[in-house]
Structure formats: structure tokens, C-alpha cells
Amino acid sequence: MAEFRGKLDGSGLRIGVVVARFNQLVTQQLLAGALDALSQHGVAEGDVDVAWVPGSLELGPAAARMARSGRYDALICLGCVIRGATPHFEMVAQQTARAISQLAMEGAVPVIFGVLTTDTLEQALERAGSKAGNRGY
């Protein structure tokens, strides 16, 4: 039997982080968690680039462009989609997941899916640093 384990040492790695501005109250906290995790695992601050996009739908295309640049060893996509009174939530959540998953499957670089999909703002805030920990980490 072969067993493969990754190292939790990010020293020398270049990381691209794409963050949605929509629901920024939540996504800023997710970003803080991600940056904390990267720092704790040896990734230098100067080796992290953060790209802000308008909303979660734009995460996939922006991450794809970053992946094609050849500059990054891994990408992190952070967003927050909160259910509203219309079916818009379903479309945004599904298309965002599809685009990021497709990019990850292409395999140019590892892509981390850090998009919250919640029913309420309170649930999102819980997952971005209060009761449920910080899912950005």
C-alpha cells in the first residue's frame, strides 16, 4: 500500500487569493483567516497576492486567469452567497461552484474552494470567525 501525505510547510510557495467584495463583511473575515493560516504554515506575506472581484460569480474567471499566469503554486477562492427571496441564490452558488471545480479539475494548480453558502447573514458570520470558527482558515 502506498500512502501520500502533504507537508504543512508553505515556505517558498506563491499563493493567489481571490476574494469577492459582495458580502465583504464576511469575506474580509474569511480573508483574514486564510492569511493567518498561510502565515502559520510558513508562507511569507510577500508571496501572497490578493485579488478582489465584484462577487462570487467572478471568482472562477479571475482564478483561471491567475492559474494561467504560471505565477502561483496554489489559489484560494473566498466568497459568500446568502440566500435571498429569489432563485438567484441557487444560480450564483451553482455557477460559482462549477467554475471553481472546473478550474481545480484542470489541475494547473491546486484550487481551494472557500465560498460560504448560507441561509442568513448570521450563519455566514458564524462561519467566518465566531461560533463555527473561521472557514477561511
Side-chain angles (χ1 to χ4, degrees), residues 12-101:
L13 296 179
R14 297 241 355 126
I15 308 296
V17 184
V18 188
V19 189
R21 273 192 212 101
F22 201 82
N23 292 318
Q24 191 169 350
L25 177 66
V26 176
T27 62
Q28 270 185 251
Q29 291 179 47
L30 293 174
L31 175 60
L35 295 175
D36 184 35
L38 292 171
S39 174
Q40 286 188 29
H41 290 93
V43 178
E45 184 178 333
D47 287 338
V48 179
D49 291 336
V50 178
W52 288 89
V53 296
S56 291
L57 277 175
E58 291 78 27
L59 292 170
R65 186 169 184 168
M66 292 173 87
R68 284 191 302 270
S69 75
R71 181 179 170 105
Y72 302 100
D73 296 297
L75 298 171
I76 302 169
C77 298
L78 302 173
C80 177
V81 184
I82 301 172
R83 188 179 303 278
T86 69
H88 185 70
F89 168 88
E90 306 293 338
M91 188 271 301
V92 173
Q94 289 174 1
Q95 293 304 314
T96 299
R98 183 195 56 75
I100 295 170
S101 297

Side-chain angles (χ1 to χ4, degrees), residues 90-121:
E90 306 293 338
M91 188 271 301
V92 173
Q94 289 174 1
Q95 293 304 314
T96 299
R98 183 195 56 75
I100 295 170
S101 297
Q102 182 178 346
L103 179 61
M105 294 300 288
E106 290 172 8
V109 297
V111 181
I112 297 171
F113 183 84
V115 180
L116 300 178
T117 55
T118 63
D119 290 323
T120 66
L121 175 60

